[in-house]
Amino acid sequence: MSGVEIRVGLSSCGVASGGEAVRDALVKAAGGRALVKAVGCNGMCHCEPIVQVLEAGRPVALYGKVTAESARAIVGRHTRWWERRRTDLPAVDSEPYLGKQKRIVLENCGEIDPGKIDEYLARGGYEALRKCAGMTPEAVVAVILESGLRGRGGAGFPTGRKWAAGRAQTAAVKYVICNGDEGDPGAFMDRLVLEADPHRVLEGLAIAAYAIGAATGILYIRAEYPLAVRNVREAIRQAEERGLFGSGLKLEVREGAGAFVCGEETALIHSLEGGRGMPRLRPPFPVERGLHGAPTLINNVETLACVPWIMRNGAAAFASLGTAGSKGTKVFALAGKIRRGGLIEVPMGITIREIVEEIGGGIQGGRKFKAVQMGGPSGGCIPEWLADTPVDYDEIPKTGAIMGSGGMVVLDERDCMVDMARFFLRFTQAESCGKCTFCRIGTKRMLEILERMCAGKGRRDDLATLEELVDFVSRGSLCGLGQTAPNPVATTLKYFRDEYEAHIHEKRCPAGRCTALVRYRVTDGCIGCTLCAQACPVGAIAYQPYKKHEIDDALCTRCDECRKVCQDDAVEVVSPC
Amino acid sequence: MKGRAAGVVVLVCVAALTADYAVKIAWTAASDVRVAALQEKVRADAGLAAALAAEQKKIADFNQARRTRINWLSLVLIVAAAAFLVEQPKAPRRIPEKPQKAAGVRRGGKPVVTGAAAPEIDLAFVDEVVAREGRGTEAAIPILQAIQAHYRYLPDEALRRVCELTEITPAQIAGTSSFYSRFRRSPVGEHIVRVCHGTACHVAGARQITDELRRELKIAEGEDTDPSRTFTIEEVACLGCCSLAPVVMVDEHTAGNLTPATACDALGEHA
Amino acid sequence: MSRLWAVVALLCALTGSVWAQALPYERPVDRAPQEKSIGGGYKTPDVQKPLPRKGWLEITDVVLLAAAMGVSVWIVVKRRNRRWLMALSATSVAYFGFYREGCVCPIGSIQNVTVALTDGHYHIPMVVTATFFLPLLVAVFYGRAFCGGVCALGSLQELVLIRPVQVPKKLDRALGWLKYVYLLAAIGFAVLPLAQRDFVICRFDPFVSLFRRSGFAHMLALGAAFLVLGMFVGRPYCRYLCPYGGLLAWFSRLSSRGVSITPNKELDCGLCTDACPYGAIEKMRAVRANCLYCARCYEACPREGPLVQLRGQA
């Protein structure tokens, strides 16, 4: 073995981009000359499948969008001296993306094979658990309290206080639950951590169990993440084989069944008890009376993933990162119209603009940055002019959005805010469990109004009704889902009122997104490259190279594909049509 | 017109060169015989050497003349050929075929018999699951998940059997199975196509992907399975591959960065 | 416009070939072994090889070769203009082909170099060495610039390609191996001892008899056949037989520059792929090893297309 190690990212994003074919090609090409290792995703999802090559004495070489062919070339370059000069490889400079990041939770993502416990152990894994075993549970809770760690699931409740409450319970049976029911559309950090570094979460959960004195730990994971479930099950098996949890702790995995509201603690407990996942009134908080009436500590995946690092490096190291109120780092899932999407981990206090423009590389196609949607259906849209807001549990809510679990969907000038609001309302409407009238019917009425606006049938009094409903629904609901459901509407109404008015009064969609209000046309900028004709799914554009293309309006479904593929911006959206 | 004339000249030149070559072969053969005869004679009678020299000179002259001739002929040929090529109407820009979609979707095909059409349901599996997961009410969801994984939906017979075997009531089963979006009470196609409708996928055009798939698979309005019962389309909240938006998951295989034009490729070899 | 270039090319070809005839030919009288001394029916051929060129002229040829490659690179990489490249091709055909009668060429020099390396008694002039190595050197940096508008054989085929058809990918790839077989065969014949040694590349060069306007009829016919085939299939000799092409393909894999499809703004519409007669554009990018520097892809780009030109005039 020449000491060359090739790592290929095989999380579900890597697999979806054809990572397995790349892995096979690498293994075949490498033969015995290099070690090929399947690791998790390193967060650079925009250039999956990713291949990293490590050689002694050389900087890590990173390649993105690798194909089976380029995989062979990569192996060649690093194992044969005469191919060293090759330049036809898809090398990626990771510095702009990774440079500003600080990795705690994602420390091992893309570095270790999640299926091999030894690799985790080699990087200091389970050291924190051993260290805790030598401390009293109270001391562990104190460290977490001191670190200032706050729940990464969305609300940002101080984790230490939750643990202290759990510790204070005197019941004989206690539970710890890892909440991996990551339902927020647009967030995928939990998936990635569970897939790429499952042991870190198990270690965090084991520490939590030790701290509050629980004997059972449950990992509740979305069924939409089959790889995460597989990896975690395997990780538990390996850790138990080594006896790392001692005899006092039993971990099990439960798959979700597809309900967003189960991300809410009390709903999650109902779901675990086998019933409908409906939230109940708090207090009593689950940490007092939870699963089967026993005190139950529920922490998010990311929160638990922070714990081992804190225990290993000390509360002060963690507290030195971030801002006064929000310590440490936060993982964000960058997606949407961003150039470099993926998973990033940044210290708290960094501004949204830094994230979007420096780490994310700005908007695709050089278009204008319009807003960023944070917090999923419970969050809101932060407009470009507020992008200097620091990422912080206290600052973000001032804009009307929430930190949420860390989904950041970047929107550009082609995204309609009314449509965004409608999208989220449709989501919360469908996911509402139906317990509270305001959430069940109020969201329905709001959705109807938004649907009407998007169809060009908005009425003059619609905005007033909407504002009224925003208020009623948020006050009249029991759980976070209902209370925050109107947020997307409230923030877009606050910052992009002109767009709502254009929809209602002019029957016009300024972003050109609402299909009922737009028509597509080819401008004289067309160079006849046929890209649009190739992309049109309904054949509304005739294939005529070197001639100006025409769109058949009767066939056109306004799918926007032609405009997306056009390199010369020669397809325009006319609104009102 | 000029092109055609040049073409004719080319043909004439080629013909002339060929003819010349034929003549040369014949002539050389004949002269070889003569020279050989003369050489024979010269060996007998040295006085004939002058005649041999004359004959050889004749051959040399013939070759020299031929060389000049074909030089000029080939010059004309080159010029004419060049003129012919230049006069060719410029090749029209090749109008390439519209690229074919990588995977055509099978339509029709043999109907796949699933669930409802198969009245015989082997309930032994239910017993097995209950034995494994326990009889308490909290086992409801794992039991339902296992049943769905096995039968690919929740057959009524199986659910009834669960109620018989466990503490779970029909009301709880009905409530739970209707609450969670992953549980299905009706049979599905051979493959489940989950189209992600998360935020990132929404802004990247998940709606268009769904529309395109429905169109290609000929799924009727209000239906979710195609006529051949090969594919069932589901819209799901988020598959967690947001940076690859829009994303489609066929059974357990995820495909990302789709466009309406490539959406059907995601169906892969099943299509 | 294209006609003007063609006329220029024709004139060059004309003057070139008239000159070629004026070359002093070495009569067999004083140097070659004579009929009398050999006997046995030996006949001295009426015309033998031309006299060796003067030293400075040979150097000029090498300089011209280098210059032509420089121009080829410049046209393709910087100017991105097919017409200029056609003019260069015509000039090369005229000079290296008809005037210099296709010799010395890098393709044949493979054999000279091989023999020189294996046979201590055989010496080759520096000129031949330079001819052999220069195009390879350029290939290392810029790809097959030699094939573009410099090689007389290639340029001739390039000029006759008027109705290109695409060769099916699999067939193309399979035939592409032929040139390596040919290369090995040529080397094999060249390293034989003097008596059996044979320069097959030169002997079966399909175009050299055209350039010299003499030679065996079957070779002339072969050349003509290649040209006729070449009107539809892009450069059949270069792609499937040329042993030097095989070497160049090898070396050009190292090159970092060369034909680049829309370097600044990806269009990726695929029209260039359809326009490339050599199947050298894969996944919208030029494959260095197969790209023959014809610049057709530039011409086929809709960015240079009629709609854009119309706008430029307006």
Side-chain angles (χ1 to χ4, degrees), chain A residues 177-189:
Chain A
I177 295 177
C178 168
N179 184 351
D181 190 52
E182 185 179 47
D184 266 15
F188 53 93
M189 57 285 298

Side-chain angles (χ1 to χ4, degrees), chain A residues 455-478:
Chain A
K457 293 178 187 134
R459 295 201 287 254
R460 280 181 185 280
D461 57 346
D462 275 348
L463 286 188
T465 320
L466 263 186
E467 278 170 333
E468 206 177 11
L469 281 169
V470 163
D471 183 41
F472 288 167
V473 173
S474 60
R475 282 195 294 133
S477 304
L478 194 64

Side-chain angles (χ1 to χ4, degrees), chain A residues 13 16 45 185 188 191 222-223 254-258 271 273-277 419 423-424 513 533 537 543 559 561 564, chain B residues 96 98 137-138 141 145 172 175-176 178-182 197 199 202-204 208 212 215 237-238 240 243-244 254 260:
Chain A
C13 41
C45 304
F188 53 93
R191 166 182 73 75
R222 278 185 88 196
R254 292 287 288 269
E255 281 180 66
S271 169
E273 287 169 349
R276 291 166 72 95
D419 176 70
F423 166 76
F424 283 116
R513 177 97 192 177
Y543 189 77
C559 71
E561 274 310 301
K564 262 190 239 157
Chain B
K98 180 166 178 173
T137 49
E138 77 280 358
I141 291 176
Q145 279 169 336
Q172 190 193 346
T176 310
S178 61
F179 184 82
Y180 296 99
S181 59
R182 280 185 77 93
H197 277 252
T199 322
H202 174 76
V203 297
Q208 283 76 35
E212 173 65 15
R215 206 164 26 236
C238 187
S243 40
L244 304 176
T254 316

Side-chain angles (χ1 to χ4, degrees), chain A residues 71-120:
Chain A
R72 277 189 284 277
I74 289 168
V75 173
R77 184 187 160 179
H78 291 277
T79 52
R80 297 190 203 107
W81 58 267
W82 64 90
E83 285 189 48
R84 173 75 54 187
R85 250 199 103 238
R86 292 187 76 136
T87 49
D88 53 340
L89 301 174
V92 175
D93 179 15
S94 61
E95 181 52 29
Y97 191 75
L98 299 177
K100 278 214 155 193
Q101 298 192 34
K102 165 77 192 158
R103 297 204 154 196
I104 290 178
V105 172
L106 304 181
E107 193 176 32
N108 292 340
C109 293
E111 308 284 330
I112 64 168
D113 183 343
K116 297 200 174 117
I117 190 168
D118 289 320
E119 297 200 9
Y120 181 66

